[in-house]
Amino acid sequence: MRILGLDIGSQRVKAVEIDSAFGRFEVHEYHELAVPAGVSPVLVARDLVSRLPKAPDRLVIALRSGLTTLRNFQFPSKDRKAIQASVGFELDDDLPFELEDAAYGHSILFQTATGSQVHVSATLGTHLQAALDEWRAQGLDPDVVTTEAWALRALMNRVLASQVETAPVLLVDIGHTRTLLYFHHKGVPILAREIPIGGRDFTLAIQEKYKVGQEQAEAAKLEHGFVLPPSQRGQATAEQSEFSNAVETPLSDLVREIRHANLVGKNLSHELPAHLFLCGGGAQLPGLGRYLEEEVKVPVQSLKSLSSVTSSGVAYSEQADSSFGLAAGLALSLVGQEKSLLLNLRTGEFSKNGGSRINWSRLKGPMIAAGLIATSLLVSVVVQNTVYRGRMKSLDSQLERQVKSFFGSVSSSALRTYLSNPTTLKKEIQRELSRRREAAALMEPNKHSPLRFVREISSGISKDIVVDLIQLQVGAATTSTYAARENPAISMTFWVTNPQIIERLSGMLEKRMTGFSRSKVEETVLPDQSKRWKVVFGGRPMEEGYGN
């Protein structure tokens, strides 16, 4: 099967073909066409697809990140039907628009014994419909419409497959008019943000500085452009510094956005990125990687989007690796395990219709017969309509009784509002269920009680280890906000009679805590002249640290 990932940019249209068969895949070819001034990029994309020697079996296109939003949810269930039914309820409170106006898709990323981690992407239905109409007007009817974040997830999972990913990474894809910031952690899209900064801004900065035409400024950027990292500014000539300073004006805005994305990503993943991957046409400016590395204080490396995913060992050019990241990710989203996890916005009313041509002349006879049948059915429908009206009245009465029973007491005006507006009724039911769950939660035993943790580690300490727990500090300060589901940090201060015991005690505690820390050992002489060694351990207990 041949899969085509199509990246429709404002200046260039890029595509990557992947051949997939029997669980294996290979990059077949990549293509690129420039978008002439005044010409629709979608029209150029149509021309690129029509020129292919073989039509793709599957066409994948992404909706721009500026038109989508993403969320990651943790559901206490592994049942797919239950998860699918719950996604809408969770999104209803998070979306900046009404759920009825949304088009969304979800994918179950991971499942554990306690539940499932689910990624959800959503957009306004009008945005998705407008994009489909524009593509289909030019003869492009994609089989999959996904998000840029989901495509980059598929790409980064392949790029990082040979590495042990313990910390997040940030991908910076610099295009002509925009830059995409994608935050990736443990195979999960954490953040995808589109900002209006791109290679065009570098050109305009050069044009304004040297008072030249746009074409001349673009040529100067491509042929002689560069930016000086802070560490090299003292060695540059005045002319070099002047050129670099002109380019740094838009770069300062990019650095600010990257720092902000790092902070948002850290808030969501609790870690700063370990690496910054750089790709896109605008990322090929000499010195840019070193400049960002010194400004952002994060190691920067160029993304090898094609060389890292091919199984044949082919090494692609630096320009191809940099430019075809999104197109490669789109194609990879339908390969191997990613195919079973696919996030596709073309569902429900936006699903792709089957496309066989119909010979209406051959259907003339069957259509006449169908008309006769329809006439006979109409008589039956009229009779049934009377019966159904009576049943509907009965069901309305039952629904009124059920609503009154659920809410206890409800006024007549509120009851009419609920029955005429299902969305309002759903929200009120959810609000009432939340109140009841909170009340029930107050009566349940605390599974994360610090005393349970102390009891568990006490039972795990060998009898030959004699220690004194002299201080136990749990949770945050009294001025902190209350969080019912918070797994509080624990600090434990021990006295031991033998410093060799500390290592054994440390090894036992480290297996039961995340973010484990150990203080320096302090020697203390007691009033009876005996010695004790004081040590403080800290961290957050793991789930198994509380016992059954």
Side-chain angles (χ1 to χ4, degrees):
M1 181 173 68
R2 182 159 296 178
I3 305 165
L4 183 70
L6 190 60
D7 176 13
I8 306 176
S10 60
Q11 286 293 106
R12 309 192 77 82
V13 175
K14 296 175 280 289
V16 171
E17 291 182 281
I18 286 183
D19 287 328
S20 175
F22 304 109
R24 299 176 61 85
F25 75 93
E26 184 56 67
V27 177
H28 176 75
E29 189 58 273
Y30 62 89
H31 311 272
E32 184 177 21
L33 283 181
V35 179
V39 178
S40 168
V42 180
L43 179 60
V44 177
R46 191 273 313 271
D47 291 342
L48 187 152
V49 175
S50 65
R51 295 180 189 181
L52 298 177
K54 178 185 175 182
D57 299 300
R58 294 288 185 272
L59 175 62
V60 188
I61 305 179
L63 205 60
R64 284 180 47 180
S65 294
L67 302 177
T68 63
T69 183
L70 62 85
R71 298 288 189 277
N72 294 306
F73 296 118
Q74 190 73 31
F75 291 114
S77 172
K78 296 195 292 184
D79 184 82
R80 292 182 177 271
K81 291 184 177 179
I83 292 172
Q84 184 174 4
S86 302
V87 166
F89 288 105
E90 294 291 340
L91 276 181
D92 199 12
D93 294 331
D94 281 358
L95 291 178
F97 42 81
E98 293 296 329
L99 184 64
E100 289 79 3
D101 300 329
Y104 59 90
H106 74 278
S107 178
I108 302 175
L109 296 174
F110 306 108
Q111 289 190 324
T112 63
T114 59
S116 306
Q117 185 172 16
V118 180
H119 175 81
V120 184
S121 290
T123 183
L124 275 171
T126 52
H127 290 332
L128 179 57
Q129 188 61 57
L132 289 172
D133 291 343
E134 184 180 12
W135 296 332
R136 286 188 292 212
Q138 299 297 341
L140 295 176
D141 195 12
D143 301 276
V144 175
V145 177
T146 188
T147 64
E148 292 177 329
W150 192 255
L152 294 177
R153 171 195 175 274
L155 175 64
M156 295 308 297
N157 282 345
R158 294 284 180 180
V159 171
L160 301 173
S162 60
Q163 305 178 20
V164 178
E165 187 195 351
T166 57
V169 296
L170 178 69
L171 174 64
V172 181
D173 186 352
I174 305 176
H176 179 65
T177 59
R178 68 181 186 124
T179 293
L180 181 62
L181 304 178
Y182 170 71
F183 203 93
H184 180 90
H185 189 210
K186 295 182 179 179
V188 179
I190 301 297
L191 169 73
R193 173 176 295 169
E194 177 185 319
I195 58 175
I197 301 172
R200 180 183 61 179
D201 296 281
F202 305 156
T203 302
L204 294 176
I206 297 172
Q207 180 183 1
E208 182 178 353
K209 174 66 178 178
Y210 294 99
K211 308 303 180 184
V212 296
Q214 186 171 349
E215 292 184 1
Q216 188 177 353
E218 180 71 14
K221 181 188 72 173
L222 296 177
E223 297 172 9
H224 311 292
F226 63 90
V227 61
L228 292 172
S231 61
Q232 297 179 3
R233 291 170 185 167
Q235 308 167 9
T237 64
E239 186 179 51
Q240 289 173 333
S241 297
E242 184 180 14
F243 186 92
S244 178
N245 290 340
V247 179
E248 282 187 46
T249 301
L251 277 179
S252 61
D253 295 333
L254 178 60
V255 169
R256 184 177 64 254
E257 293 292 344
I258 291 175
R259 288 172 177 165
H260 183 255
N262 285 346
L263 291 176
V264 175
K266 179 185 177 182
N267 184 50
L268 296 173
S269 66
H270 309 295
E271 293 185 64
L272 284 170
H275 289 90
L276 190 153
F277 286 90
L278 202 57
C279 69
Q284 298 174 42
L285 184 69
L288 179 58
R290 182 71 177 275
Y291 174 86
L292 292 177
E293 183 171 302
E294 295 184 13
E295 289 289 343
V296 185
K297 311 300 182 186
V298 176
V300 176
Q301 62 186 91
S302 297
L303 180 70
K304 298 185 180 299
S305 56
L306 296 180
S307 301
S308 298
V309 303
T310 181
S311 58
S312 62
V314 175
Y316 292 86
S317 68
E318 183 177 344
Q319 181 179 2
D321 271 334
S322 179
S323 300
F324 288 87
L326 181 57
L330 288 168
L332 289 169
S333 64
L334 272 178
V335 170
Q337 183 182 1
E338 297 294 335
K339 184 177 180 180
S340 62
L341 298 175
L342 179 65
L343 188 148
N344 189 4
L345 296 176
R346 293 208 71 175
T347 58
E349 62 180 299
F350 303 103
S351 298
K352 183 175 182 179
N353 297 321
S356 60
R357 295 185 177 179
I358 300 175
N359 189 336
W360 293 103
S361 62
R362 296 183 179 180
L363 295 179
K364 183 177 180 180
M367 289 179 68
I368 294 175
L372 295 175
I373 295 173
T375 302
S376 63
L377 287 175
L378 181 61
V379 177
S380 175
V381 169
V382 172
V383 175
Q384 294 178 23
N385 185 46
T386 304
V387 178
Y388 289 155
R389 285 183 178 178
R391 292 182 179 179
M392 289 298 294
K393 290 182 180 179
S394 176
L395 290 174
D396 286 343
S397 299
Q398 293 180 22
L399 180 58
E400 289 181 7
R401 289 194 297 270
Q402 293 294 334
V403 171
K404 290 180 179 179
S405 174
F406 179 80
F407 288 104
S409 62
V410 61
S411 65
S412 300
S413 59
L415 182 60
R416 287 194 299 271
T417 301
Y418 291 157
L419 296 181
S420 62
N421 193 332
T423 300
T424 302
L425 177 59
K426 181 180 69 175
K427 290 181 178 179
E428 289 300 321
I429 290 176
Q430 285 297 111
R431 191 174 292 112
E432 179 67 21
L433 288 175
S434 297
R435 285 196 294 265
R436 295 184 183 183
R437 292 191 190 103
E438 291 174 0
L442 296 176
M443 304 301 294
E444 295 180 355
N446 184 6
K447 297 181 180 179
H448 292 160
S449 169
L451 295 180
R452 290 174 64 101
F453 180 73
V454 173
R455 184 192 64 186
E456 179 65 18
I457 65 171
S458 177
S459 63
I461 297 177
S462 303
K463 293 182 178 180
D464 59 336
I465 299 178
V466 179
V467 299
D468 290 327
L469 177 61
I470 63 172
Q471 184 177 8
L472 174 65
Q473 183 174 346
V474 184
T478 56
T479 56
S480 300
T481 56
Y482 172 72
R485 299 184 180 179
E486 181 182 7
N487 188 8
I490 289 183
S491 174
M492 295 175 291
T493 305
F494 289 92
W495 271 1
V496 301
T497 58
N498 188 339
Q500 285 75 22
I501 293 176
I502 295 176
E503 292 300 326
R504 297 176 61 188
L505 182 61
S506 176
M508 188 273 293
L509 290 174
E510 187 174 6
K511 296 178 182 179
R512 291 170 167 81
M513 302 173 73
T514 60
F516 179 77
S517 64
R518 188 181 82 181
S519 70
K520 293 183 179 179
V521 180
E522 299 179 7
E523 182 178 341
T524 304
V525 178
L526 300 181
D528 62 357
Q529 301 303 315
S530 62
K531 292 184 179 181
R532 295 291 187 274
W533 284 264
K534 176 183 176 183
V535 62
V536 180
F537 299 101
R540 293 183 181 276
M542 299 180 183
E543 190 67 31
E544 56 268 23
Y546 292 103
N548 297 326

